[in-house]
Amino acid sequence: MPKEAIVRTIGLKKTFLLGKIPLHVLKGIDIEIYRGEYISIMGPSGSGKTTLFNMIGGLDKPTEGKVYIDEVDIAQLDAYELAWLRCRKIGYIFQTFNLIPVMTALENVMLPMIFGGMENDEAMNKAKSLLETVGLGERLHHKPFELSGGQQQRVAIARALANDPAIILADEPTGNLDLKTGKEIIHLLKEMNKNKEVSIITATHDLKMLDVSDRVIWIRDGMIERIEDRENLQIKVGEVEGEE
Amino acid sequence: MQESVPGKKIDKQLTLPLRHALNMSIRNIKIRFGRSIIVTSSIILGIAFLMSILANNAFMAGILEKGPEHIKIALQQDIEEMKIRQIWLVSLSLLVCVVGIVNAMLMAVTERAREIGTMKCLGALDKYIVEIFLLESSMQGVIGSIIGVIFGFAASFIVYLLKYKGLVWSIFPTELLLKYSLFSILLGVIISVIGAIYPAYVSAKMEPAEAIRREV
């Protein structure tokens, strides 16, 4: 199968102004992420991984350089097209789950489909089957505060999948979960990655994530330190598991 | 509400049907009941004051039209002076009411920053966010104004009942009171929408990346 780049960044730089002092958070990042890949962006806090994540997700614009999602330069998009891109092409998962508190699990999953223009009944059926896929078929009508952290994250995964996106961006998806629940979520993500052929990009410092990643991009001080393939990772995983 | 961008490969379409927007607004009001009460009560107070004065005028007009001579003469004297003072008081109270709404809604926006950011990540356009906030505010406006009208009328009515006893019934200005009530409710809704415009604008302009990570 030929490798098709779903995300491509060229010379990506981002500078924030801290008062009057420029802070170079990203100093030129070139990456290519292929369709169906499971990528982990690893790095210590302050390394710029969240900023990189925001750029890829179209949540923030680069100071210099380009981001292509599905061969579309996102800097060229207007607000409407950007919203459309977020709605249809990208699914977001957050560390803090970020479900809409006033809506039930089912309605949360339906929301992106409704924004996307789907009929109510169709959206409801799809949301139901997605929630069943993530193992929450019994909790359709619960509000977020009635669900545990792991369950909320499952709803978030179902919601991210709602419009069959090409990419799922997960920012520290296991950051607020205990070890066991975190593992379950990682495996659920991997399962979705395989079954639905969606590319998954996670920004994380959870070493459990190494286990399922196709490639790991290590970021340090706003630059790519190294990119490791799965084969090279095998040895490391053993070490990591020994540490736990 | 549906729009499409011409010349694209796929029909790029984003929607938020009114039914869903309404549903979301009603839920928000219900769940954040404490906050809703603050917004609503400032409308209630403002409109109650307006209505009490309008009802007062209505009763007075009724007396001037159908009441006995000796009361008419007494009333006529201070009616002119009162009118000017009334306008001042009412404008001031409604102004305070708007400021109260802006304040309460701005707090609501801050409180809901993460939710707004999340909705944007799911594909919400700025105008959906504005729509939800304005809907919420206008519903609070309707409810608050109706309650305000009832209170305002009751206050005025009781004063006149105590002062003129049975006479009030014979001069009861039904038509005028209804007209003033409708006017007050309409004004209440307009005021609450005006008060919500700026907060709604602020919320719609939030950058999703920033909004999502904001801790409240």
Side-chain angles (χ1 to χ4, degrees):
Chain A
M1 197 177 75
K3 280 181 173 179
E4 186 191 347
I6 188 83
V7 176
R8 204 148 53 90
T9 71
I10 299 169
L12 196 63
K13 289 184 187 170
K14 180 72 180 180
T15 306
F16 289 109
L17 278 181
L18 278 183
K20 281 178 182 164
I21 308 151
L23 180 70
H24 303 286
V25 180
L26 296 179
K27 299 168 183 165
I29 301 261
D30 299 274
I31 47 174
E32 269 193 17
I33 294 166
Y34 306 108
R35 201 178 282 279
E37 257 191 321
Y38 194 123
I39 296 278
S40 289
I41 300 172
M42 292 244 176
S45 39
S47 60
K49 64 180 187 305
T50 297
T51 311
L52 176 62
F53 176 88
N54 286 344
M55 302 285 156
I56 297 173
L59 298 178
D60 207 346
K61 292 203 165 162
T63 316
E64 236 180 274
K66 300 235 179 262
V67 180
Y68 293 92
I69 293 176
D70 218 357
E71 294 308 318
V72 177
D73 179 2
I74 61 169
Q76 304 295 324
L77 302 179
D78 61 25
Y80 190 98
E81 291 167 317
L82 208 54
W84 185 87
L85 184 90
R86 289 183 197 136
C87 181
R88 307 298 291 267
K89 289 273 178 187
I90 306 174
Y92 299 87
I93 296 170
F94 306 95
Q95 179 175 4
T96 47
F97 322 131
N98 288 23
L99 300 177
I100 309 290
V102 299
M103 297 179 141
T104 64
L106 187 68
E107 288 163 331
N108 262 286
V109 180
M110 281 169 70
L111 193 60
M113 296 189 249
I114 284 164
F115 286 151
M118 198 187 273
E119 285 299 318
N120 205 41
D121 291 343
E122 202 186 342
M124 194 181 288
N125 289 333
K126 192 168 177 194
K128 271 184 191 156
S129 80
L130 279 170
L131 281 167
E132 273 160 25
T133 318
V134 299
L136 284 179
E138 307 295 306
R139 295 206 144 63
L140 300 177
H141 302 292
H142 288 242
K143 294 260 169 64
F145 61 85
E146 297 163 332
L147 299 170
S148 70
Q151 287 169 337
Q152 287 190 47
Q153 199 60 303
R154 282 165 191 273
V155 177
I157 292 173
R159 185 177 67 181
L161 288 163
N163 284 327
D164 300 311
I167 312 161
I168 285 189
L169 282 169
D171 186 12
E172 301 271 5
T174 57
N176 276 11
L177 299 173
D178 61 54
L179 202 71
K180 183 168 160 284
T181 322
K183 260 185 185 158
E184 285 168 13
I185 292 296
I186 290 170
H187 285 122
L188 180 61
L189 282 172
K190 184 66 189 173
E191 205 180 302
M192 297 299 133
N193 169 240
K194 273 194 228 152
N195 298 344
K196 305 211 177 234
E197 293 180 345
V198 52
S199 312
I200 295 191
I201 303 170
T202 63
T204 183
H205 44 234
D206 186 347
L207 293 168
K208 296 194 290 294
M209 204 67 99
L210 294 176
D211 212 3
V212 296
S213 306
D214 294 323
R215 280 193 298 159
V216 178
I217 299 171
W218 297 84
I219 303 276
R220 187 176 285 271
D221 293 331
M223 286 188 287
I224 296 176
E225 194 179 38
R226 59 181 194 276
I227 299 179
E228 289 175 317
D229 289 340
R230 192 171 174 73
E231 296 86 68
N232 303 333
L233 279 170
Q234 297 298 343
I235 320 151
K236 289 211 154 232
V237 173
E239 289 170 20
V240 170
E241 274 178 350
E243 280 172 20
E244 271 179 13
Chain B
M1 212 192 297
Q2 299 193 350
E3 282 174 35
S4 61
V5 182
K8 299 282 162 184
K9 284 181 288 189
I10 324 150
D11 185 20
K12 294 191 176 180
Q13 197 176 66
L14 292 170
T15 62
L16 178 61
L18 187 63
R19 186 163 54 94
H20 289 283
L22 262 176
N23 197 346
M24 281 160 85
S25 313
I26 292 171
R27 296 262 191 95
N28 273 322
I29 293 177
K30 269 199 214 152
I31 288 185
R32 297 184 171 92
F33 199 64
R35 170 85 56 223
S36 313
I37 284 183
I38 297 175
V39 176
T40 313
S41 57
S42 79
I43 301 166
I44 294 178
L45 292 175
I47 294 300
F49 185 63
L50 171 72
M51 186 61 195
S52 72
I53 283 176
L54 289 176
N56 180 54
N57 289 355
F59 283 120
M60 216 180 268
I63 291 173
L64 286 175
E65 196 185 327
K66 300 179 209 158
E69 277 307 314
H70 67 281
I71 300 179
K72 271 191 201 177
I73 295 159
L75 271 178
Q76 209 107 47
Q77 284 169 349
D78 42 50
I79 208 162
E80 282 309 312
E81 182 200 342
M82 228 166 66
K83 277 241 166 91
I84 300 163
R85 212 173 48 198
Q86 272 178 11
I87 294 170
W88 258 106
L89 281 172
V90 168
S91 324
L92 216 62
S93 77
L94 293 183
L95 204 66
V96 171
C97 177
V98 172
V99 174
I101 294 168
V102 173
N103 185 25
M105 289 295 269
L106 272 178
M107 282 175 76
V109 167
T110 319
E111 214 176 59
R112 278 153 69 174
R114 197 196 286 171
E115 190 180 325
I116 293 163
T118 308
M119 295 215 352
K120 285 190 171 181
C121 283
L122 301 180
L125 295 170
D126 290 359
K127 64 173 180 185
Y128 300 168
I129 314 282
V130 172
E131 194 180 328
I132 289 169
F133 270 93
L134 291 188
L135 270 174
E136 260 180 65
S137 184
S138 51
M139 275 188 274
Q140 286 167 335
V142 173
I143 297 166
S145 305
I146 291 173
I147 299 174
V149 161
I150 294 169
F151 280 165
F153 165 74
S156 210
F157 181 66
I158 289 166
V159 168
Y160 271 80
L161 200 61
L162 292 176
K163 204 165 165 190
Y164 297 106
K165 311 272 169 351
L167 178 66
V168 176
W169 296 112
S170 65
I171 57 106
F172 196 81
T174 318
E175 201 180 313
L176 203 55
L177 277 173
L178 275 178
K179 213 168 81 185
Y180 284 155
S181 302
L182 281 178
F183 170 75
S184 302
I185 291 170
L186 196 70
L187 194 67
V189 176
I190 292 171
I191 282 174
S192 33
V193 171
I194 289 175
I197 285 175
Y198 176 66
Y201 174 80
V202 169
S203 69
K205 284 293 158 222
M206 267 188 217
E207 285 298 325
E210 184 196 336
I212 283 165
R213 288 182 180 81
R214 193 180 294 180
E215 294 292 332
V216 180

